[in-house]
Amino acid sequence: MNNRGVIADGAMGTMLQSRELSLEDDFQGLESCNDILNDTRPDVLADTHDAYFAVDAVETNTLGANWSILSDYGIEELARKGARIARERAEAAE
């Protein structure tokens, strides 16, 4: 494991569900759209990234990171924001 990376689908959704987030305020009424938290709650995402980095893992909050899903909500730019938040926390963890 020291010489190669492992790619796995993490539990970002599970980590977010463990937080007390409001459908109205945090999700702006967009049920099941975790990506909106890239805009509304970057602090929650930063905490989640930090928890992953504490065990030498990394993930992003880009659950709907494709045009067809995010365009349904009119928020296609959120995938880029999710990657940016993850990158910022990665640099902080270095």
Side-chain angles (χ1 to χ4, degrees):
M1 293 278 295
N2 289 336
N3 295 324
R4 62 183 186 176
V6 175
I7 299 173
D9 185 10
M12 174 59 93
T14 302
M15 298 274 289
L16 294 175
Q17 288 174 2
S18 71
R19 304 293 294 257
E20 293 185 21
L21 299 171
S22 160
L23 176 61
E24 198 169 297
D25 296 326
D26 299 319
F27 287 94
Q28 296 182 342
L30 301 174
E31 188 172 1
S32 300
C33 183
N34 289 332
D35 302 71
I36 196 69
L37 300 173
N38 294 330
D39 257 350
T40 62
R41 293 302 302 269
D43 59 313
V44 169
L45 298 171
D47 289 346
T48 303
H49 291 304
D50 292 346
Y52 273 97
F53 283 120
V55 294
D56 296 325
V58 64
E59 45 60 58
T60 62
N61 183 42
T62 53
L63 296 160
N66 66 61
W67 181 85
S68 65
I69 291 174
L70 293 179
S71 66
D72 288 346
Y73 296 106
I75 48 177
E76 301 89 297
E77 76 283 354
L78 291 181
R80 187 173 294 115
K81 288 181 180 183
R84 188 176 311 123
I85 293 167
R87 178 65 187 182
E88 289 169 0
R89 300 316 305 157
E91 290 172 359
E94 288 182 329

